[in-house]
Amino acid sequence: MSPDPFSYKTHFKNKYNSFHLFSSYQQIHRMKLLNLVIFLIFHITSLHLCVESTDSSHPQDPYSCASASQPPYSCDSSDPSTKTYDFCKTTLPISRRAEDLVSRLTFEEKATQLVDTSPAIPRLGIPAYEWWSEGLHGIGFLTRVQQGISFFNRTIQHATSFPQVILTAASFDAHIWYRIGQATGKEARALYNAGQVTGLGFWAPNVNIFRDPRWGRGQETPGEDPLVVGKYGASFVRGVQGDSFEGESTLGDHLQASACCKHYTAHDLDNWNGVNRFRFNAIVTLQDMADTYQPPFRSCVQEGKASGIMCSYNEINGIPSCAHYDLLTKTLRQEWGFYGYITSDCDAVNVLHVEQKYAKTPEDAVADALKSGMDVECSTSARSKDFPVSYLRNYTKSAVEKKKVTVSEIDRALHNLFSTRMRLGLFNGDPTKQLYSDIGPDQVCSQEHQALALEAALDGIVLLKNADRLLPLSKSGISSLAVIGPNAHNSTNLLGNYFGPACKNVTILEGLRNYVSSASYEKGCNNVSCTSAAKKKPVEMAQTEDQVILVMGLDQSQEKERLDRMDLVLPGKQPTLITAVAKAAKRPIVLVLLGGSPMDVTFAKNNRKIGSILWAGYPGQAGATALAQIIFGEHNPGGRLPMTWYPQDFTKVPMTDMRMRPQPSTGNPGRTYRFYEGEKVFEFGYGLSYSDYSYTFASVAQNQLNVKDSSNQQSENSETPGYKLVSDIGEEQCENIKFKVTVSVKNEGQMAGKHPVLLFARHAKPGKGRPIKKLVGFQTVKLGAGEKTEIEYELSPCEHLSSANEDGVMVMEEGSQILLVGDKEHPVTIIV
């Protein structure tokens, strides 16, 4: 997506914080007053007013905007003409209704509906619709673009802001992911019911693999593991759309809101070393495509039942994603059974022609996209200097005239688009009489949702170091506290990107002052980039205060859309400041790191004066409260890293090298924990707790698996000794050889805690492109001090114990595989 999110507070807070003219208490008072003024100004200037036109030559379009209390809808039963429209008859199948509607449109009307900002069709009683809304970690708002959501209305002005996705993923709790999706979908529907929505499609989740730690948008993803990313995507989608947590879909054609999985596919570079996302050709092997890049999207479609997919900017092996018939039609729709619409990333159709030179003319770009299976173009033409023209709005007619695309191909796209709007209930008449009409403003920023935001932050924050059990701090034993760092007193930095106006937001300093009210504060750096550091005052504070907490790391000036990192170390002079303060402190310090990507903090990991390190990602509106509760022992941390933390040397590998497997000839040591063979700062799945946990394999239902070939015909490779194609084994046999693994888990500590239990598998004989190990299951357990329980995993060998060969085909190999949980192992033998 193009423009970066911008809070009305951000600029003024950062600018104000750059001055040091007043004490911290005066700063807080002035900041609150200033924010109130800005809040009022911004609301007044941003209101979308629906007023009567006084120009008789341009009469007011009654469908162009919704009143503050009336949501936009079609098929008003008070209009007699609607009784003659089949598209208004709810007893008919969605496909028939969509077909009827499309057949009634003129060609000019059809062309206008192929863009994200789709105008009204008054003669048919169809209101305007905006396809672009954001809901990455709660309802988002981008001030510089037109979206389907408006907060600047007298009814609802805030939404729950959950932790950025990368931190939520660290909980390894699929049910939390589902509940966050549920809350986001409910708040979206509440905004619609309040008349503040012109679109119920949300372009989330981001299910790209966090392949390279420098990617500026890795923060938006659930991490580097395909199983985790796929499970997150499916769980979040089901929550947003109003489905059950798992199992067979219970939705039918009744979407609460529409979720869109992005960016399809092999997309994980924005702007690195002169290479940008518009011109990047991702060279991807069939093997990597099969076992890394595609599985999360397949999960979104087949398990999550996502109603939207966004194609990405990049080319895949020379063909742009949004012009890739094999990916959009053959794979998505025909192989996976996708039921929904496909949108371009913003201005990706222009990119086909202007940037990539894939299409020779604008009409060719339109034809390439529509023929490949794309349905709607996201266009920033109304506010973009880079892409001032919407290609589908301006060139669809000429593309048809030049016989580059047919009307039937346009009708197919429109059928997918209007089917989705109908599944949302927008063509069922008065919304106050429809499903979801009971979701009101009281469900936005509800106590339940705010408690969930706190729970997600508590469960995601990762304890990376805790030498001599420095944490938790004693609530009664700390009489003075120094809080130092550029991230300590900036609430916007807790939100990440694509955020909306939070229900409430406090800084980390304010959260800590709930425990030590006299805590002193010093920024230490001019900003997060820390091009200059004032060490004198922080060092003096460290020498006198009982305890020091440094709040450092990254923010959106270091990593974001259109900005990838060039290195992995902390910005500027942050390491110098941290080391100086730690050296001066009376006792080991606590280091808190914000940021959505790995950081090489080897210096802090090895420094004895730095007793504890906490990674807090971008923890959302309740992040400061969560951190304070963990630091002072009201919550036992249990988060585990969803991505590998690499050393700085990793940056010698070009970010443009898409290969997951090691390539010694080019110096590529492999990507992600599954293939990376180099040194690590912290590994995937790493995370400490105030308790220790022990594991044993209680039982494994099958120690030996006999895999038979159920195909009627021998495939070319099926006679090769040692493996069978999963496709040849067949669905029935794959189902029959599933087995259960029971793991016993005990909390050996003195404090209750919630703990993710990760089950891995590895081949007894590594090499030949096989993963070093891979995650095959994960669950979380809540255990009291000394408590023990058993958890059960169901493994499908065809899914969990298979691997992709060089042709991108999944195979089952004969031999031993090892199941691993913690430091325990259990062998499983496969006979084919």
Side-chain angles (χ1 to χ4, degrees), residues 588-626:
I589 67 166
V590 176
L591 174 61
V592 174
L593 297 171
L594 297 190
S597 57
M599 292 160 265
D600 184 352
V601 289
T602 303
F603 79 96
K605 179 181 176 182
N606 296 334
N607 188 332
R608 293 183 180 180
K609 292 298 296 288
I610 300 174
S612 297
I613 304 174
L614 286 159
W615 173 66
Y618 297 114
Q621 68 173 51
T625 301

Coordinates of all heavy atoms in Angstrom, one line a residue, residues 588-626:
P588 N 22.8 -3.7 37.7 CA 22.5 -4.0 36.3 C 21.2 -3.3 35.8 O 20.2 -3.3 36.6 CB 22.4 -5.5 36.2 CG 23.3 -6.0 37.3 CD 23.1 -5.0 38.4
I589 N 21.2 -2.9 34.6 CA 20.0 -2.1 34.1 C 19.1 -3.0 33.3 O 19.4 -4.2 33.0 CB 20.5 -1.0 33.2 CG1 21.1 -1.5 31.9 CG2 21.4 0.0 33.9 CD1 21.3 -0.5 30.8
V590 N 17.9 -2.5 33.0 CA 16.9 -3.2 32.2 C 16.8 -2.4 30.9 O 16.7 -1.2 30.8 CB 15.5 -3.2 32.8 CG1 14.4 -3.8 31.9 CG2 15.5 -3.9 34.2
L591 N 17.0 -3.2 29.8 CA 16.9 -2.6 28.4 C 15.6 -3.1 27.7 O 15.4 -4.3 27.6 CB 18.2 -3.0 27.6 CG 18.2 -2.6 26.1 CD1 18.2 -1.1 26.0 CD2 19.4 -3.2 25.5
V592 N 14.8 -2.1 27.4 CA 13.6 -2.4 26.6 C 13.8 -2.0 25.2 O 14.2 -0.8 24.9 CB 12.4 -1.6 27.2 CG1 11.1 -1.8 26.3 CG2 12.1 -2.1 28.6
L593 N 13.5 -2.8 24.2 CA 13.7 -2.6 22.8 C 12.3 -2.5 22.1 O 11.6 -3.5 22.1 CB 14.5 -3.6 22.2 CG 16.0 -3.8 22.7 CD1 16.6 -5.0 22.1 CD2 16.8 -2.5 22.3
L594 N 12.0 -1.4 21.5 CA 10.9 -1.3 20.6 C 11.4 -1.6 19.2 O 12.6 -1.3 18.9 CB 10.2 0.0 20.6 CG 9.5 0.5 21.9 CD1 8.7 1.8 21.7 CD2 8.7 -0.6 22.5
G595 N 10.5 -2.1 18.3 CA 10.9 -2.3 16.9 C 10.3 -3.5 16.4 O 10.0 -4.5 17.1
G596 N 10.0 -3.5 15.1 CA 9.3 -4.6 14.4 C 10.2 -5.6 13.7 O 9.7 -6.4 13.0
S597 N 11.5 -5.5 13.8 CA 12.4 -6.4 13.1 C 13.7 -6.7 14.0 O 13.9 -6.0 15.0 CB 12.9 -5.7 11.8 OG 13.5 -4.5 12.0
P598 N 14.4 -7.7 13.6 CA 15.6 -8.1 14.4 C 16.6 -7.1 14.5 O 16.9 -6.3 13.6 CB 16.1 -9.3 13.6 CG 15.0 -9.9 12.8 CD 14.2 -8.6 12.5
M599 N 17.3 -7.1 15.7 CA 18.4 -6.1 16.0 C 19.6 -6.9 16.5 O 19.4 -7.8 17.3 CB 17.9 -5.1 17.0 CG 16.8 -4.1 16.5 SD 15.9 -3.3 17.9 CE 14.5 -4.4 18.0
D600 N 20.7 -6.5 16.0 CA 22.0 -7.1 16.5 C 22.3 -6.4 17.8 O 23.0 -5.3 17.8 CB 23.1 -7.1 15.5 CG 24.3 -7.8 16.0 OD1 24.4 -8.2 17.2 OD2 25.3 -8.0 15.2
V601 N 22.0 -7.0 18.9 CA 22.3 -6.4 20.3 C 23.3 -7.3 21.0 O 23.2 -7.4 22.2 CB 21.0 -6.1 21.1 CG1 20.2 -5.0 20.5 CG2 20.2 -7.4 21.2
T602 N 24.2 -7.9 20.3 CA 25.2 -8.8 20.9 C 25.9 -8.1 22.0 O 26.2 -8.7 23.0 CB 26.2 -9.3 19.8 OG1 25.4 -9.9 18.8 CG2 27.2 -10.2 20.4
F603 N 26.2 -6.8 21.8 CA 27.0 -6.0 22.8 C 26.2 -6.0 24.1 O 26.8 -6.1 25.2 CB 27.2 -4.6 22.3 CG 26.0 -3.7 22.4 CD1 25.9 -2.8 23.5 CD2 25.1 -3.7 21.4 CE1 24.8 -2.0 23.6 CE2 24.0 -2.8 21.5 CZ 23.8 -2.0 22.6
A604 N 24.9 -5.9 24.1 CA 24.0 -5.8 25.3 C 23.8 -7.2 25.8 O 23.8 -7.4 27.1 CB 22.7 -5.2 24.9
K605 N 23.7 -8.2 25.0 CA 23.6 -9.6 25.4 C 24.8 -10.0 26.2 O 24.6 -10.8 27.2 CB 23.4 -10.5 24.2 CG 23.2 -12.0 24.4 CD 23.1 -12.7 23.1 CE 23.0 -14.2 23.3 NZ 23.0 -14.9 22.0
N606 N 26.0 -9.6 25.9 CA 27.2 -10.0 26.5 C 27.6 -9.1 27.6 O 28.6 -9.3 28.3 CB 28.3 -10.1 25.5 CG 28.0 -11.2 24.5 OD1 27.3 -12.2 24.8 ND2 28.6 -11.1 23.3
N607 N 27.0 -8.0 27.9 CA 27.3 -7.0 28.9 C 26.7 -7.3 30.2 O 25.5 -7.3 30.4 CB 26.9 -5.6 28.4 CG 27.4 -4.5 29.3 OD1 27.7 -4.7 30.5 ND2 27.6 -3.3 28.8
R608 N 27.5 -7.6 31.2 CA 27.0 -8.1 32.5 C 26.3 -7.0 33.2 O 25.5 -7.2 34.1 CB 28.2 -8.6 33.4 CG 28.8 -9.8 32.9 CD 29.9 -10.3 33.8 NE 30.6 -11.6 33.3 CZ 31.5 -12.2 33.9 NH1 32.0 -11.7 35.1 NH2 32.0 -13.3 33.5
K609 N 26.5 -5.7 32.9 CA 25.8 -4.6 33.5 C 24.4 -4.4 32.9 O 23.7 -3.6 33.4 CB 26.7 -3.3 33.4 CG 27.9 -3.3 34.3 CD 27.7 -3.5 35.8 CE 26.9 -2.3 36.4 NZ 27.7 -1.1 36.5
I610 N 24.1 -5.1 31.9 CA 22.8 -5.1 31.3 C 22.2 -6.4 31.7 O 22.4 -7.4 31.2 CB 22.8 -4.9 29.8 CG1 23.5 -3.6 29.4 CG2 21.4 -5.0 29.2 CD1 23.7 -3.4 27.9
G611 N 21.3 -6.3 32.8 CA 20.8 -7.5 33.4 C 19.7 -8.2 32.7 O 19.6 -9.4 32.6
S612 N 18.8 -7.4 32.1 CA 17.6 -7.9 31.4 C 17.4 -7.1 30.1 O 17.6 -5.9 30.0 CB 16.4 -7.8 32.3 OG 16.5 -8.5 33.5
I613 N 16.9 -7.9 29.1 CA 16.5 -7.3 27.9 C 15.1 -7.8 27.5 O 14.8 -9.0 27.6 CB 17.4 -7.7 26.7 CG1 18.9 -7.3 27.0 CG2 17.0 -7.0 25.4 CD1 19.9 -7.8 26.0
L614 N 14.2 -6.8 27.2 CA 12.8 -7.1 26.8 C 12.6 -6.6 25.4 O 12.9 -5.4 25.1 CB 11.8 -6.5 27.8 CG 11.7 -7.1 29.1 CD1 11.1 -6.1 30.1 CD2 10.8 -8.4 29.1
W615 N 12.0 -7.4 24.5 CA 11.6 -7.0 23.2 C 10.1 -6.8 23.2 O 9.4 -7.7 23.6 CB 12.0 -8.0 22.1 CG 11.4 -7.6 20.8 CD1 11.7 -6.5 20.0 CD2 10.4 -8.3 20.0 NE1 11.0 -6.5 18.9 CE2 10.2 -7.5 18.8 CE3 9.7 -9.4 20.2 CZ2 9.2 -7.9 17.9 CZ3 8.7 -9.8 19.3 CH2 8.5 -9.1 18.1
A616 N 9.7 -5.5 22.9 CA 8.2 -5.2 23.0 C 7.6 -4.9 21.7 O 6.4 -4.5 21.6 CB 8.1 -4.0 24.0
G617 N 8.3 -5.1 20.6 CA 7.8 -4.8 19.3 C 7.2 -3.4 19.2 O 7.8 -2.4 19.6
Y618 N 6.0 -3.3 18.6 CA 5.2 -2.1 18.7 C 3.9 -2.6 19.4 O 3.0 -3.1 18.8 CB 4.9 -1.5 17.4 CG 6.1 -1.0 16.6 CD1 6.6 -1.7 15.5 CD2 6.9 0.0 17.1 CE1 7.7 -1.2 14.8 CE2 8.0 0.4 16.5 CZ 8.5 -0.2 15.3 OH 9.6 0.2 14.7
P619 N 3.8 -2.4 20.8 CA 2.8 -3.1 21.5 C 1.4 -2.5 21.6 O 0.6 -3.1 22.3 CB 3.4 -3.1 22.9 CG 4.2 -1.8 23.0 CD 4.7 -1.6 21.6
G620 N 1.1 -1.5 20.8 CA -0.2 -1.0 20.8 C -0.7 -0.1 21.9 O 0.2 0.3 22.7
Q621 N -2.0 0.2 22.0 CA -2.5 1.2 22.9 C -2.2 0.8 24.4 O -2.1 1.6 25.3 CB -3.9 1.4 22.7 CG -4.9 0.3 23.1 CD -6.3 0.7 23.0 OE1 -6.8 1.2 22.0 NE2 -7.1 0.4 24.0
A622 N -2.2 -0.5 24.7 CA -2.0 -1.0 26.0 C -0.6 -1.5 26.3 O -0.3 -2.0 27.3 CB -2.9 -2.2 26.3
G623 N 0.3 -1.2 25.4 CA 1.7 -1.7 25.5 C 2.5 -1.2 26.7 O 3.2 -1.9 27.3
A624 N 2.3 0.1 27.0 CA 3.0 0.7 28.2 C 2.5 0.0 29.5 O 3.4 -0.3 30.3 CB 2.8 2.2 28.2
T625 N 1.2 -0.2 29.6 CA 0.7 -0.9 30.8 C 1.2 -2.3 30.9 O 1.6 -2.8 31.9 CB -0.8 -0.9 30.7 OG1 -1.3 0.4 30.6 CG2 -1.4 -1.6 31.9
A626 N 1.3 -3.0 29.7 CA 1.8 -4.4 29.7 C 3.2 -4.5 30.1 O 3.6 -5.3 30.9 CB 1.6 -5.0 28.3

